Amino acid sequence: MSFPRADGSRLEVQCLAATADYLRALSRQDRSAAVGVAGRAADARTSVVDVIEQMLVPAQVEVGIRAQHDDWTIADEHAATAITEVVLGVLAMRQPAPVRRPAPICVTTPAGEWHGLAARMVAEGLRARGWDAMYLGSDLPDDHLGRFLHRVQPAVLLLSCTTAAVLPQLARSLDVAMAAGIPTIVGGSACGTDEKRALAVGANAWAQDTASAHVLLSRWVDEGIAPPPARRAGIPADYLEFTSRRSVLVDLLASRSEAMSASTLAAARFQSMIRQVGAQLVDVLAASLFVDDPRLFDEYVTWLADMLHARGIPPDTTWSLLEVIEAALIDIPRAQRFTAISRRPRRG
């Protein structure tokens, strides 16, 4: 298996082939085969960056899609993630020594964010680019993060957030970093495709991917360019009002789903899941209000409708829950407007 750099088309074909081989290993829960595929790919390249970003990342995206579409169970997804964690550990042994700098950088996730694999990939990708990147795990409580930052004084803290509902907690983690005098970079799917949410939660900067984070780190640490100033995240009044009604809204959504289950067999079979879905809808809408971005809620609604449909629950279930939320928020105009945007007619 070769991965030439000069011929872009051939490189793309080889990357696709390696990813397909890796996915086949994951689908069989075959750790040895997965390690073998990654090892051969690393042997053919000059840096494990390519293996992580051109094979492991797209494979993990596909794992998420298969779980979303109910082609894989949660157990399958967890097994695949555990194997990729092992593979990253094997690849870490191939990493060169980091460039000597006065302080390390740290990578983690905020409290409540249990998906740590993306952050781990970022840390290993940065180590492959010469950074002394310390991965601190996922779901890191603020008090422990603060104590660590004050003691270690890293050059930069990078925070990955993939769960939309965790964005308000991300802001609290950033407050902790600001109090310790540590500049921050945030990224991950929940942070969107531009800097809007990053600035709203109080980060110094947003990075689309590991390569972008590397560019920012080089400017701040190696070139001595001061990071853009961060501002403490403001807490909108309507966000506070909305979150004070969380339990009431969740109960309203549960009542609606129970009423629907009388005529919908699928909803009856997944009643407990529908209640959890209602709670997640409320939490993601709260996060959208926090960062003042209706796209966050709309993206989640689109994902949710697709996920439920794959499990035999009609799309009308999602729109019915949105109808309940919108009617209950007549006195919170921004929340009602965000909900109305997501209730618009869908194409296809």
Side-chain angles (χ1 to χ4, degrees), residues 59-340:
Q60 197 62 29
V61 170
E62 178 62 23
V63 167
I65 291 171
R66 293 181 183 185
Q68 177 188 352
H69 291 168
D70 206 29
D71 297 324
W72 281 16
T73 66
I74 298 299
D76 292 320
E77 182 183 19
H78 287 182
T81 298
I83 290 172
T84 297
E85 289 277 8
V86 172
V87 169
L88 283 170
V90 172
L91 292 176
M93 302 303 294
R94 297 171 175 259
Q95 298 278 41
V99 176
R100 292 184 63 85
R101 294 181 174 91
I105 60 173
C106 293
V107 185
T108 187
T109 76
E113 176 59 80
W114 295 351
H115 300 93
L117 185 58
R120 174 78 186 279
M121 287 182 174
V122 168
E124 295 300 336
L126 289 173
R127 287 192 68 84
R129 289 177 166 89
W131 295 95
D132 183 7
M134 302 174 62
Y135 173 58
L136 308 181
S138 60
D139 189 26
L140 187 58
D142 290 336
D143 56 340
H144 292 269
L145 173 62
R147 288 164 54 189
F148 183 89
L149 294 180
H150 281 284
R151 177 171 59 84
V152 176
Q153 286 293 302
V156 180
L157 173 68
L158 296 93
L159 286 154
S160 170
C161 188
T162 64
T163 305
V166 177
L167 284 173
Q169 175 55 50
L170 174 60
R172 290 187 279 274
S173 297
L174 292 166
D175 284 346
V176 169
M178 184 182 294
I182 309 299
T184 53
I185 299 171
V186 301
S189 56
C191 293
T193 57
D194 57 40
E195 66 178 7
K196 177 179 175 63
R197 296 174 199 170
L199 299 182
V201 294
N204 291 89
W206 164 79
Q208 182 177 10
D209 49 30
T210 307
S212 304
H214 168 67
V215 171
L216 289 171
L217 291 169
S218 298
R219 290 174 184 166
W220 299 356
V221 178
D222 294 335
E223 299 175 27
I225 298 173
R231 60 177 179 82
R232 193 174 299 273
I235 303 180
D238 56 0
Y239 163 80
L240 294 174
E241 175 61 27
F242 180 85
T243 54
S244 73
R245 302 184 195 179
R246 182 184 186 277
S247 60
V248 173
L249 288 168
V250 172
D251 288 343
L252 284 173
L253 294 176
S255 297
R256 170 59 68 91
S257 63
E258 288 169 6
M260 293 179 64
S261 69
S263 58
T264 307
L265 177 61
R269 290 190 359 239
F270 293 102
Q271 184 61 49
S272 61
M273 185 179 72
I274 295 298
R275 183 177 180 87
Q276 183 181 14
V277 161
Q280 291 171 344
L281 267 175
V282 172
D283 290 341
V284 175
L285 181 53
S288 299
L289 294 173
F290 190 92
V291 297
D292 191 26
D293 192 345
R295 296 173 300 173
L296 180 67
F297 188 62
D298 194 46
E299 291 160 5
Y300 180 76
V301 167
T302 300
W303 174 88
L304 176 62
D306 185 57
M307 185 273 289
L308 293 178
H309 180 68
R311 287 156 178 78
I313 299 178
D316 287 349
T317 302
T318 305
W319 317 138
S320 180
L321 296 179
L322 291 177
E323 184 179 56
V324 172
I325 295 176
E326 187 177 3
L329 299 176
I330 192 170
D331 59 336
I332 307 181
R334 195 160 59 104
Q336 191 178 49
R337 177 168 59 85
F338 284 15
T339 308

